[in-house]
Amino acid sequence: MTFDAQFRVLEINSIEGLLPYRFVWRGLFADTADASFFQTYEWFVCYWKHFGASQRMRVLVVLHGDTAVGIVPFIIRIESTKAGPIRVLTYPLHDWGSVYGPIGPQPAATLLLAFRHLSETARDWDTLDLRWIDDAGSDHGRTGNAMALAGLSPVIADWKHSAIVEFDGDWES
């Protein structure tokens, strides 16, 4: 995919604004490698219903012309630290999932355009902390590379370790 002026990022800040993109989200989810339940539209809506009141939504839809090629669901939440409260721009997980990332078949392009958008818009967050990235695994270093190309300064560190067990066969076997 080449980058040209036909790419743009649409930022959505409300569930009502997101509603017209529910089918697009579902279609992109179906094309997402290593996708998890936590990346579904239904999860995001449920999450927002129960936890959104104290947060701000920043869902980024990456478009090529009029066609959505990726979605990056961000939220801003306040976290307490020893230095006081900070506004954290992050994925909508709260430590429930193991791995997260952009939704759609082109994660590197989606991340690059999303991070460019963040670097060019008013900053309403203190830190960008994407804790659920499998940097050496399914992410393949895309997130850090995209951040750097967008002019952000990534610091890559372990947050938590999770064990994921994959079984062959179906439920009965």
Side-chain angles (χ1 to χ4, degrees), residues 54-119:
S54 63
Q55 301 179 58
R56 183 170 187 280
M57 178 189 305
R58 290 193 75 179
V59 174
L60 305 181
V61 180
V62 176
L63 301 159
H64 184 255
D66 292 329
T67 303
V69 296
I71 296 175
V72 185
F74 289 127
I75 55 102
I76 299 172
R77 67 181 192 191
I78 306 295
E79 292 187 3
S80 298
T81 70
K82 291 180 181 179
I86 61 170
R87 300 168 299 174
V88 179
L89 180 65
T90 190
Y91 290 133
L93 277 183
H94 283 304
D95 290 335
W96 295 315
S98 298
V99 178
Y100 206 90
I103 298 157
Q106 301 171 32
T110 298
L111 284 168
L112 176 57
L113 292 159
F115 290 137
R116 281 187 184 166
H117 174 80
L118 292 176
S119 69

